[in-house]
Amino acid sequence: QLQLVESGGDLVQPGGSLRLSCAASGFTLHYYAIDWFRQAPGKEREGVSCISGSGGGTAYASSVKGRFTISRDNAGHTVYLQMNRLKPEDTAVYYCAARTRLYHACSGYVGPYDYWGQGTQVTVSS
């Protein structure tokens, strides 16, 4: 079975840090761009970050720029989202999604995804 699995979500205090992982099962991520999304209760899903298939291109939502960093390992197994200086408004379920379509690009991508993870909960208390 081909799938993505997110992990690393937890309950943290404001100002704390977490590192989320998006791991591929049954395939490698060498030729996929990976996008992170999040959805808070009562709110619409929003894009958070993206990394291109080569790893050379990245993008961030304005709300997380300067606090979050996306990266990928050389083995093509896992993509990470390092989250620093977390705020209560970062509370959400975080999802990763993989695409081969326009895998070299991140900025302004609108289109389908090949795989979605099931999500991991991030809660930032106040």
Side-chain angles (χ1 to χ4, degrees), residues 30-93:
H30 290 306
Y31 305 111
Y32 291 83
I34 301 294
D35 293 85
W36 284 96
F37 297 87
R38 67 186 182 186
Q39 187 164 25
K43 296 186 177 181
E44 66 275 10
R45 186 175 64 200
E46 64 173 323
V48 176
S49 187
C50 169
I51 188 164
S52 67
S54 69
T58 59
Y60 300 91
S62 60
S63 59
V64 307
K65 192 173 297 183
R67 298 188 297 119
F68 291 11
T69 303
I70 192 168
S71 62
R72 64 195 305 153
D73 65 6
N74 291 331
H77 181 260
T78 308
V79 169
Y80 303 98
L81 185 68
Q82 179 67 46
M83 308 186 297
N84 298 324
R85 303 196 305 280
L86 284 161
K87 304 175 179 179
E89 51 263 46
D90 295 319
T91 296
V93 177

